[in-house]
Amino acid sequence: MATLEDIGVAAALNILSALIFLLAFAILRLQPLNDRVYFPKWYLVGLRNDPLKSGGFVKKVVNLDWKAYIRFLNWVPAALKMPELELIDHAGLDSAVYLRIYLLGLKIFIPITLLAFAVLAPVNWTNKTLKKSGFTYSAIDKISISNVPLGSERFWAHILMAYASTVWTCYVLQKEYAKVADMRLQFLASAERRPDQFTVLVRNVPPDTDESVSESVEHFFLVNTDHYLTNQVVYNANKLAKLVKEKNSKQNWLDYYNLKYSRNKSKRPMMKTRFLGLCGEKVDAINHHTAEVERLSKEIAAERERVKNDPKSIMPVAFVSFKTRWAAAICAQTQQSRNPTLWLTDWAPEPRDVYWKNLAIPYVYLTVRRLIIGVAFFFLTFFFMIPITFVQTLASIEGIRKIAPFLKVIIDISFVKSFIQGFLPGIALKIFLIVLPRILMLMSKFEGWGSISALERRAASKYYIFNFVNVFLGSIIAGAAFDQLNTFIHQSANEIPKTIGVAIPMKATFFITYTMVDGWAGIAGEILRLKPLILFHLKNFFLVKTERDREKAMDAGSLNFNTGEPQIQLYFLLGLVYAIVTPFLLPFILVFFALAYFVFRHQIINVYHQEYESGAAFWPDVHGRIIFALVFSQISLLGLLSTKRAAQSAPFLIALPVLTLSFHYFCKGRYEPAFTRYPLQEAKRKDTIEQAKESKLNLKYYLQKAYLHPVFRGDDEDDNEDVNDKLESNDVELIPMKRHSRGNTPGPSRISGASQEEMLQHQEE
């Protein structure tokens, strides 16, 4: 058990680490050589000039302006200057709302912390229960609920505090949900024209022996709606995409060896052909990669022709575009046929958000895949407890004494003991979880989600569950993984809250150290961007030969919602659970939220470039997880008080989970539709405004290739027309049909049927 002295040592180490990271960042960001590492966002939007293009050699490497070093902390106020509306225009609504999660943490926990230290800390501290018990305890335990005697009337203070924190949390959540929902609707109303506003993703298109998938889709929507415009079928081009990726890799190596040879003409670069160039036959590197690029180019051309001409490569999936947002909203939000398993429609993700590989998965396989991943994730979650428990055991005083008794003399030194108990367990757990996000993302990809945003949200859900079971429950409950699982299985449902409730106060010190390692030093390390910094300079030295190469070497990165949001949610869970039990943890969590807000606001403004824009579609998940944390904190407190013989006061907690869940369902019904549906009123208003401003716009030309697979976008115009040949079929007055039972379909409108030449003529007029 870590003492207050151990916590002090851990705090000093983590504060020192965080200050070193922040100081290193403040100095490195001033150097011209690192400008593209710490300000890539401004280069991507074309609003920053490269300092390497001006001045002498020394000025290109080192900033000689001594005044800049005096103002080295000016990044902090600079990160706060940009207003939220400007931030939305600059970085998107996803980024702006992501920052609001940190502000939400501050709004919830600042009043709760003040109230807890004003009310609960004196109530707990003025008892002598731990002193009389004879057990080993620390000053931290004295201000926890553990210091309150059994059956004490003082538990009423904890009950009232639970009600106060619940009411305040729900109040803040409701205000924030309403605000974010309003921000989303305003963003959709003010957003510029995008292909996904007019497009619906249609899956499970029924097979037809008389018509191709494109013809079937075209005829179905022409018959059933007056607003159909065009469609783009989905090809199974996964093999082609792999070949293109492999060719790009070979081309990069060829460029590297050509650059290497240009610097030293006296020696041709050589390489080995097997296993990362470490073994195999030694050959001329330039000739080898030239031959590989030529071979792959031929294979790509052949595979492209096969994909375009093989009916089996066309999936029963299509992106269907409409003439208006209103028509797209109706189609995306309604059932299309009598059979609810056919013609399944949903909003299309924006083109850069599409995860093309998964669109080639037959729809009937998706349920099986998700069932497999559900089972696999269950076993991953519980079996991961074994190595985590083992590592946590090794990272303790007792574990080290058992494995290496000869180190007893060293670990008994006061500072070393404090370091092990206050710092080592947190850093060991943090290191052990590094590989987890990649595993969870691979599992989400296997499930078959069709957009990057959906993949990240699903991976985030898995990560949160994993954190709850392993990092939280696995840390507070003593024993190995199988012992924990066996205990839970054989306990009655009434006993589980008691087991968890009793264990929670005992692990407060561990979560304090974990918060400092992960939430203080970890967040400060985020702003330093050490890995992108090293990689950029390696690429810049070995590969960069043009301005375009230098732009490719920049790694702007993104928010990584699949890892960042579950990390935030863990601190909401810890704060809500320990607010009543051990208030001493709350200031450490407040430091995390404040520091993370500053750091990520700076990163979003200057560094991150999001892969997609979902319009804050993730917010219902954020709200739901905070509600779960709140309900869990109430149930665990009820279980803890039931062991404290607080028979008179504990029953008053039963109403809290019921009221909290009722509040959740109110918010779900009131605000969640803004994140899952698009109001027809809003769609119609935006259509009317756009038609008044741009009445001569050829929307078909704008949309017809928006959802063309990326591997076809590099083709010449003729190839594109071959792949997309059905997109011009609306230019005729009537659609010829192979089956006459459907009757004639309506002809195109003047705008939708206009040719490219007509559109250009309209623009000239």
Side-chain angles (χ1 to χ4, degrees):
M1 179 184 294
T3 63
L4 193 60
E5 180 184 354
D6 300 334
I7 297 297
V9 172
L13 290 171
N14 283 285
I15 291 173
L16 181 62
S17 300
L19 288 176
I20 291 173
F21 290 145
L22 293 173
L23 183 62
F25 160 74
I27 295 174
L28 289 173
R29 67 186 283 270
L30 297 175
Q31 311 312 315
L33 204 62
N34 302 326
D35 204 60
R36 287 181 178 268
V37 177
Y38 293 112
F39 301 97
K41 183 68 174 286
W42 297 103
Y43 284 94
L44 292 173
V45 298
L47 295 177
R48 194 173 182 90
N49 296 321
D50 194 342
L52 297 178
K53 292 182 179 180
S54 60
F57 175 77
V58 176
K59 288 185 177 180
K60 289 182 179 180
V61 178
V62 181
N63 188 342
L64 300 178
D65 182 10
W66 61 272
K67 294 181 180 179
Y69 294 94
I70 298 176
R71 303 188 303 269
F72 70 96
L73 288 178
N74 65 352
W75 68 269
V76 179
L80 299 176
K81 283 183 179 179
M82 184 178 287
E84 189 172 58
L85 290 178
E86 187 179 341
L87 182 66
I88 293 173
D89 291 335
H90 176 68
L93 185 64
D94 281 343
S95 298
V97 172
Y98 183 85
L99 286 174
R100 294 187 71 92
I101 305 177
Y102 294 108
L103 286 179
L104 179 65
L106 293 173
K107 291 176 184 177
I108 289 176
F109 289 115
I110 287 177
I112 290 178
T113 301
L114 295 175
L115 189 61
F117 274 87
V119 176
L120 293 186
V123 168
N124 296 336
W125 180 269
T126 53
N127 293 287
K128 298 182 179 180
T129 304
L130 291 175
K131 186 177 181 180
K132 294 178 180 179
S133 66
F135 295 122
T136 302
Y137 64 93
S138 67
I140 298 173
D141 298 316
K142 289 186 67 177
I143 62 172
S144 74
I145 199 172
S146 302
N147 200 32
V148 180
L150 300 178
S152 173
E153 294 292 325
R154 297 192 177 199
F155 286 122
W156 281 106
H158 299 83
I159 301 293
L160 294 175
M161 183 65 190
Y163 270 91
S165 61
T166 297
V167 170
W168 174 249
T169 301
C170 290
Y171 172 77
V172 175
L173 281 176
Q174 187 270 332
K175 291 293 184 183
E176 197 67 19
Y177 212 152
K179 175 64 176 176
V180 175
D182 185 60
M183 289 172 65
R184 174 178 167 85
L185 291 175
Q186 287 185 6
F187 176 78
L188 294 177
S190 62
E192 295 181 356
R193 186 192 311 110
R194 297 191 322 192
D196 53 293
Q197 297 171 350
F198 301 88
T199 306
V200 170
L201 178 62
V202 181
R203 309 192 76 149
N204 232 24
V205 177
D208 194 316
T209 56
D210 295 324
E211 296 177 331
S212 67
V213 174
S214 180
E215 291 172 334
S216 181
V217 169
E218 186 175 50
H219 287 155
F220 179 85
F221 285 101
L222 279 172
V223 167
N224 293 288
T225 178
D226 295 331
H227 299 272
Y228 168 81
L229 183 61
T230 185
N231 79 80
Q232 173 62 63
V233 295
V234 173
Y235 293 86
N236 185 353
N238 290 344
K239 182 180 178 181
L240 178 59
K242 289 180 181 178
L243 290 173
V244 171
K245 183 179 180 181
E246 185 180 357
K247 179 188 173 183
N248 291 337
S249 176
K250 298 292 184 183
Q251 186 64 54
N252 287 338
W253 279 110
L254 178 59
D255 293 342
Y256 164 72
Y257 284 117
N258 278 325
L259 180 61
K260 186 177 181 180
Y261 180 61
S262 67
R263 291 172 176 172
N264 184 9
K265 293 282 188 177
S266 62
K267 185 179 180 181
R268 295 278 291 186
M270 305 295 288
M271 61 167 287
K272 294 182 179 180
T273 56
R274 287 186 172 182
F275 192 67
L276 303 177
L278 299 177
C279 58
E281 181 185 358
K282 198 170 186 179
V283 297
D284 184 289
I286 294 177
N287 293 340
H288 174 75
H289 282 98
T290 300
E292 286 293 296
V293 170
E294 291 176 354
R295 175 184 64 82
L296 288 167
S297 296
K298 294 178 181 178
E299 290 186 17
I300 287 171
E303 178 64 17
R304 184 179 285 116
E305 288 300 316
R306 187 195 69 80
V307 169
K308 290 188 292 186
N309 298 320
D310 184 4
K312 294 182 180 178
S313 296
I314 301 176
M315 306 304 298
V317 181
F319 290 98
V320 180
S321 297
F322 295 85
K323 299 172 186 176
T324 62
R325 297 171 181 82
W326 179 83
I330 290 178
C331 182
Q333 297 164 181
T334 55
Q335 182 175 315
Q336 304 305 310
S337 70
R338 179 180 297 180
N339 186 342
T341 64
L342 300 176
W343 298 102
L344 302 176
T345 57
D346 199 358
W347 279 108
E350 62 170 329
R352 59 179 178 163
D353 189 21
V354 178
Y355 189 69
W356 295 95
K357 185 177 180 180
N358 280 356
L359 292 183
I361 301 173
Y363 184 80
V364 293
Y365 294 169
L366 295 181
T367 302
V368 177
R369 281 171 169 255
R370 289 165 191 174
L371 177 62
I372 292 172
I373 290 300
V375 175
F377 178 67
F378 173 83
F379 285 103
L380 172 70
T381 300
F382 283 99
F383 280 93
F384 221 82
M385 284 185 182
I386 300 172
I388 284 181
T389 304
F390 179 69
V391 170
Q392 291 291 80
T393 302
L394 294 183
S396 64
I397 294 291
E398 295 76 12
I400 294 175
R401 282 174 177 167
K402 288 180 181 178
I403 294 177
F406 57 89
L407 295 177
K408 184 178 183 300
V409 178
I410 298 176
I411 63 177
D412 283 342
I413 299 174
S414 178
F415 175 79
V416 176
K417 183 178 179 182
S418 297
F419 173 81
I420 293 173
Q421 295 194 144
F423 186 77
L424 196 58
I427 194 69
L429 180 59
K430 179 69 175 174
I431 293 173
F432 202 79
L433 295 176
I434 287 177
V435 299
L436 181 65
R438 186 176 295 272
I439 296 173
L440 298 181
M441 180 56 77
L442 289 174
M443 295 176 78
S444 296
K445 288 179 178 179
F446 182 81
E447 286 180 312
W449 302 99
S451 66
I452 300 172
S453 57
L455 287 173
E456 291 202 343
R457 290 200 296 272
R458 293 299 301 176
S461 297
K462 294 182 180 67
Y463 202 177
Y464 178 73
I465 295 171
F466 186 93
N467 274 342
F468 175 73
V469 174
N470 283 284
V471 177
F472 184 74
L473 290 182
S475 297
I476 65 173
I477 301 176
F482 288 113
D483 293 336
Q484 296 172 24
L485 188 58
N486 182 67
T487 301
F488 271 19
I489 290 175
H490 291 89
Q491 275 185 339
S492 67
N494 295 331
E495 295 298 319
I496 293 176
K498 295 181 181 179
T499 304
I500 296 174
V502 171
I504 282 175
M506 300 167 60
K507 282 294 181 179
T509 53
F510 167 76
F511 288 119
I512 290 173
T513 61
Y514 181 80
T515 300
M516 289 187 290
V517 171
D518 181 68
W520 294 10
I523 293 298
E526 160 70 26
I527 202 171
L528 182 59
R529 306 197 77 225
L530 189 59
K531 179 181 175 182
L533 178 67
I534 295 172
L535 290 178
F536 173 77
H537 287 303
L538 288 176
K539 291 177 181 178
N540 199 39
F541 182 78
F542 290 108
L543 298 176
V544 170
K545 56 183 178 180
T546 65
E547 185 64 22
R548 185 179 179 185
D549 294 336
R550 189 170 284 106
E551 289 180 2
K552 288 183 178 179
M554 288 192 309
D555 178 19
S558 60
L559 279 172
N560 292 326
F561 180 84
N562 58 307
T563 57
E565 195 268 346
Q567 178 196 38
I568 305 172
Q569 291 295 341
L570 178 62
Y571 293 106
F572 276 106
L573 176 66
L574 293 176
L576 291 171
V577 168
Y578 281 95
I580 315 299
V581 176
T582 310
F584 190 76
L585 179 63
L586 291 176
F588 296 88
I589 292 176
L590 286 178
V591 172
F592 160 75
F593 280 116
L595 179 61
Y597 178 73
F598 281 107
V599 167
F600 280 99
R601 206 173 203 276
H602 173 275
Q603 300 296 79
I604 285 171
I605 292 173
N606 298 299
V607 180
Y608 293 147
H609 185 69
Q610 285 303 100
E611 293 182 81
Y612 60 84
E613 176 59 59
S614 70
F618 56 80
W619 190 260
D621 295 334
V622 174
H623 177 88
R625 286 168 195 152
I626 297 176
I627 290 293
F628 171 80
L630 188 59
V631 172
F632 179 83
S633 69
Q634 296 160 354
I635 294 175
S636 61
L637 179 62
L638 179 61
L640 176 60
L641 290 181
S642 65
T643 65
K644 291 284 189 176
R645 300 178 186 174
Q648 294 181 343
S649 55
F652 285 88
L653 281 174
I654 296 176
L656 270 183
V658 177
L659 295 174
T660 304
L661 290 175
S662 300
F663 164 78
H664 172 60
Y665 285 112
F666 162 76
C667 289
K668 188 177 179 67
R670 173 63 182 84
Y671 303 113
E672 189 171 318
F675 297 86
T676 57
R677 302 170 191 165
Y678 190 28
L680 297 182
Q681 182 185 25
E682 297 293 324
K684 190 67 175 178
R685 179 185 294 119
K686 192 159 181 64
D687 287 331
T688 303
I689 294 173
E690 183 174 86
Q691 288 168 7
K693 290 182 177 180
E694 303 178 75
S695 59
K696 297 181 180 180
L697 171 70
N698 188 329
L699 190 61
K700 181 177 181 181
Y701 180 72
Y702 171 73
L703 293 171
Q704 65 180 10
K705 294 174 186 175
Y707 286 96
L708 188 64
H709 196 294
V711 295
F712 295 115
R713 290 175 189 166
D715 295 354
D716 57 30
E717 189 64 26
D718 292 337
D719 285 342
N720 276 335
E721 289 176 0
D722 288 340
V723 175
N724 219 22
D725 57 348
K726 293 300 176 184
L727 295 177
E728 300 300 327
S729 57
N730 279 351
D731 291 342
V732 295
E733 194 166 308
L734 293 176
I735 302 296
M737 302 182 64
K738 296 179 180 177
R739 286 190 293 143
H740 302 287
S741 59
R742 293 179 181 173
N744 288 334
T745 56
S749 68
R750 178 178 59 83
I751 296 176
S752 68
S755 65
Q756 179 180 351
E757 290 77 10
E758 290 173 333
M759 185 202 74
L760 294 175
Q761 290 175 4
H762 290 320
Q763 290 177 343
E764 290 174 359
E765 294 172 0

